[in-house]
Amino acid sequence: MYSSSFFSTPLFLSFLACMLSPMAVLGANSNHFTEYIGALFRGVKFSDVPINSSVEFHYILSFAIDYSVATTPPAPTNGEFGVFWDTENLSPDAVSAIEQNYSNVKVAVSLGGATVNGYNVYFNATSVESWVSNAVSSLTTMIQQYNLDGIDIDYESFGNENDTDTFTECIGQLIKTLKDNGVISFASIAPFANPTVQSMYQALWAKYSSIIDYVNFQFYAYGADTTVDQYVQYYDEQVSNYPGGNVLASFMTENTTGVISADTGFSACQELKSENKLYGIFIWCADASLSQGFTYEIQSQALLAS
Ligand SMILES: *[C@@H]1O[C@H](CO)[C@@H](O)[C@H](O)[C@H]1NC(C)=O
Ligand SMILES: *[C@@H]1O[C@H](CO)[C@@H](O)[C@H](O)[C@H]1NC(C)=O
Ligand SMILES: *[C@@H]1O[C@H](CO)[C@@H](O)[C@H](O)[C@H]1NC(C)=O
Ligand SMILES: *[C@@H]1O[C@H](CO)[C@@H](O)[C@H](O)[C@H]1NC(C)=O
Ligand SMILES: *[C@@H]1O[C@H](CO)[C@@H](O)[C@H](O)[C@H]1NC(C)=O
């Protein structure tokens, strides 16, 4: 089973350009590092990634998806989530082992992703009540089986692009219920600069920001020609779009044309740190970094720990 990489959506740079506005951003550096893992089936293990004991280190397993792949194309299952990551290398025992070795490590699961078996994954709930009920039940089982600590929300396509209310209530009530039940201790969202995506996640944020701990904004979805200065502007813009949020800077190590390079992304992290507003960094993804010696993971954690 194969679940592909993150965003695959064309970008709307002209739209972004008119939203840009200079502003002062309050915030402070923190030592939060997040690594997505398991979506590309390249055999990467938790123990392959160097972990600096001076950072707060989160893995996010990618992905759990509410689709059945018994048919072609796969069919939505209204909140009944299944596991679509590399469970051979990222098993319940592997989660327990890495958490036992490192007191600074926690493991979460990301919901959604860009595609399943090559088809887009849509957020497509039949009703709020039925979706939440199915999601709470299937995810509670999965989270307890794998000893996980949190969830990340990464839906990128939507069955009804205008229906922000259903997305807001489904996701908000899911996070709230899992937290109230003591099943998870943290939750994050992973939006990127696309008008539909932003309208969904900002509507969610407006009502449920108090129970969302991190904003894993996919800055690498900006174009390859993005400069460090522009990256910092985009970061400020997203901090204002998600007021009060712990917004992580990000870059990808997967070799993908047309997106911000890892070098530019890391330079932007250094600049944000020097301006005392780097909350944290996430990298997509460990699977891609495996063949590159995890140099960006080592540098990023050292920067956050310094
Ligand atoms: C845990 O630490 C032990 C001893 O250092 C090491 O042999 C083992 O590979 C580590 N396991 C993981 C999952 O990091
Ligand atoms: C949403 O689910 C319904 C019912 O399964 C299906 O008919 C429809 O095609 C789905 N929409 C998308 C965008 O997948
Ligand atoms: C969403 O709203 C736009 C603008 O009002 C409209 O053109 C479009 O048909 C709507 N789409 C759906 C799926 O309702
Ligand atoms: C990235 O992809 C390009 C084009 O396919 C290739 O030429 C280059 O060698 C790749 N780089 C790495 C580090 O894999
Ligand atoms: C962890 O970060 C500190 C601070 O930057 C650095 O001195 C140290 O070498 C790093 N440790 C590892 C194992 O990378």
Side-chain angles (χ1 to χ4, degrees), residues 158-163:
F158 301 87
N160 181 346
E161 299 196 334
N162 297 335
D163 186 4

Side-chain angles (χ1 to χ4, degrees), residues 4-225:
S4 94
S5 69
F6 248 175
F7 76 89
S8 60
T9 318
L11 304 169
F12 293 78
L13 291 174
S14 53
F15 172 84
L16 281 167
C18 57
M19 286 181 61
L20 290 177
S21 60
M23 61 188 65
V25 175
L26 301 173
N29 292 333
S30 155
N31 67 345
H32 187 86
F33 180 77
T34 289
E35 177 93 28
Y36 285 83
I37 189 167
L40 304 182
F41 290 76
R42 296 190 190 156
V44 68
K45 298 178 167 64
F46 295 121
S47 53
D48 290 332
V49 185
I51 293 170
N52 192 312
S53 56
S54 301
V55 304
E56 180 180 60
F57 191 115
H58 286 188
Y59 282 109
I60 302 186
L61 291 162
S62 313
F63 290 96
I65 311 178
D66 58 333
Y67 267 72
S68 162
V69 290
T71 56
T72 303
T77 54
N78 191 38
E80 291 274 5
F81 282 88
V83 167
F84 285 82
W85 69 80
D86 179 2
T87 53
E88 198 176 312
N89 291 294
L90 305 166
S91 63
D93 284 350
V95 173
S96 300
I98 199 75
E99 291 197 342
Q100 253 156 36
N101 269 19
Y102 297 97
S103 60
N104 59 324
V105 170
K106 290 192 164 69
V107 184
V109 57
S110 186
L111 312 185
T115 61
V116 57
N117 283 7
Y119 292 86
N120 277 358
V121 170
Y122 290 89
F123 174 77
N124 191 8
T126 305
S127 70
V128 171
E129 196 182 26
S130 61
W131 191 94
V132 171
S133 166
N134 289 338
V136 166
S137 151
S138 59
L139 288 170
T140 297
T141 303
M142 183 188 300
I143 288 164
Q144 291 177 343
Q145 181 192 351
Y146 279 87
N147 311 306
L148 306 179
D149 309 295
I151 61 171
D152 175 58
I153 309 300
D154 183 37
Y155 282 103
E156 307 195 347
S157 301
F158 301 87
N160 181 346
E161 299 196 334
N162 297 335
D163 186 4
T164 56
D165 286 350
T166 301
F167 180 71
T168 294
E169 286 312 315
C170 284
I171 301 302
Q173 291 181 26
L174 171 65
I175 295 171
K176 184 173 186 329
T177 306
L178 293 178
K179 282 193 166 182
D180 287 350
N181 292 351
V183 174
I184 59 168
S185 58
F186 62 89
S188 57
I189 57 175
F192 56 101
N194 162 282
T196 301
V197 169
Q198 289 283 58
S199 73
M200 291 288 171
Y201 285 90
Q202 287 180 246
L204 172 65
W205 188 259
K207 183 153 180 200
Y208 287 104
S209 63
S210 65
I211 56 171
I212 299 170
D213 303 275
Y214 312 103
V215 179
N216 297 346
F217 199 87
Q218 298 183 52
F219 288 98
Y220 41 82
Y222 290 105
D225 59 353

